[in-house]
Amino acid sequence: MTSINNFILVHIGKCGGSTVRKELEENQINCLVLHTANVPFYKSPEIKYIIVIRNPVERFISAYFWRYYLVCVKKEQANRFIGEKEFLEKHNTIELLIDKIKNEPTVFDTNYVHHIHENIHFYLKNFVDICPNDKIIGVILQETLDDDMDKMFNIKVNSRQNNNSENKQTVTNEMRSIIKSHLKKDYLMIEKMFKKGWITKNQYDILSV
């Protein structure tokens, strides 16, 4: 089992962070979890970071339809955020969502959707430039989560939490291209992480498509 202590787990929404948190808890590995917030930088040499991240397009699609499922299908969070339910109901297919993004690139500046507003850039924008490399223990990808948890913590992941693959809709290459263009700031964060050596070439290839 890992001897890592005093680390902050940066749980970027819809990147597998709930699974990571559950596995760490079950294996009695303590950490401070940061979720839906800008990442603060602490100078203390004892405090280090692990970041849980995902390909931005896949994260965006997963986040959007997870919110649709919780708000409009299960109605568990129908009234959690003002205006979210109405927006999701109006754009309840990937085609309608893509049309909205094409016609109104700043659509999410004025329409709040949980985990869409809190994107990768939201978490890392003030952190990636000032955090030295020796403060980063590692980066866990949703796409390689099982292997990453095994290598980093010697943990065999038993199951995935909050899996919403059943709620996804088919996304064409053209649609992916439009979403990717919309997420330029997220991809900028990934580029910076790669240049600083926080992620490997293999991780970069997965995250940057």
Side-chain angles (χ1 to χ4, degrees), residues 57-83:
V57 173
E58 293 300 325
R59 196 205 75 87
F60 178 91
I61 295 168
S62 176
Y64 193 85
F65 289 108
W66 178 244
R67 291 308 299 164
Y68 182 82
Y69 174 68
L70 290 181
V71 173
C72 301
V73 178
K74 292 194 74 175
K75 303 185 187 303
E76 288 180 357
Q77 300 185 16
N79 301 310
R80 184 177 179 186
F81 300 110
I82 296 173

Side-chain angles (χ1 to χ4, degrees), residues 14 60-78 84-94 96-97 113-116 164 166-169:
K14 299 312 298 174
F60 178 91
I61 295 168
S62 176
Y64 193 85
F65 289 108
W66 178 244
R67 291 308 299 164
Y68 182 82
Y69 174 68
L70 290 181
V71 173
C72 301
V73 178
K74 292 194 74 175
K75 303 185 187 303
E76 288 180 357
Q77 300 185 16
E84 185 185 38
K85 178 174 179 288
E86 290 74 17
F87 183 85
L88 292 169
E89 287 179 336
K90 189 174 181 179
H91 307 91
N92 62 347
T93 68
I94 193 67
L96 288 171
L97 180 60
V113 176
H114 192 42
H115 292 313
I116 296 296
N164 67 317
E166 294 180 0
N167 301 307
K168 287 187 179 179
Q169 300 178 18

Side-chain angles (χ1 to χ4, degrees), residues 88-204:
L88 292 169
E89 287 179 336
K90 189 174 181 179
H91 307 91
N92 62 347
T93 68
I94 193 67
E95 291 83 5
L96 288 171
L97 180 60
I98 293 295
D99 283 342
K100 186 66 174 177
I101 291 172
K102 283 197 300 184
N103 295 323
E104 190 181 334
T106 60
V107 55
F108 293 111
D109 291 348
T110 54
N111 295 277
Y112 181 83
V113 176
H114 192 42
H115 292 313
I116 296 296
H117 173 76
E118 296 88 2
N119 55 23
I120 295 169
H121 178 260
F122 169 85
Y123 282 84
L124 301 178
K125 61 182 178 181
N126 296 320
F127 175 78
V128 70
D129 290 327
I130 61 174
C131 181
N133 295 359
D134 62 0
K135 298 280 284 181
I136 304 298
I137 296 171
V139 177
I140 297 172
L141 269 62
Q142 190 273 351
E143 292 86 349
T144 57
L145 190 148
D146 291 5
D147 288 341
D148 294 340
M149 290 293 287
D150 189 12
K151 291 175 183 176
M152 198 174 296
F153 296 103
N154 194 28
I155 290 176
K156 305 294 184 185
V157 176
N158 295 315
S159 61
R160 296 294 185 103
Q161 302 296 305
N162 296 338
N163 188 328
N164 67 317
S165 56
E166 294 180 0
N167 301 307
K168 287 187 179 179
Q169 300 178 18
T170 301
V171 179
T172 66
N173 289 334
E174 180 182 3
M175 291 174 178
R176 285 187 63 90
S177 179
I178 292 168
I179 296 171
K180 184 174 182 178
S181 179
H182 179 69
L183 300 174
K184 289 178 181 177
K185 290 182 178 180
D186 281 5
Y187 282 93
L188 175 62
M189 295 297 99
I190 290 166
E191 190 71 27
K192 288 184 175 184
M193 291 172 70
F194 179 58
K195 288 181 177 178
K196 294 190 73 169
W198 294 6
I199 57 177
T200 66
K201 179 61 165 61
N202 180 58
Q203 288 178 317
Y204 177 74

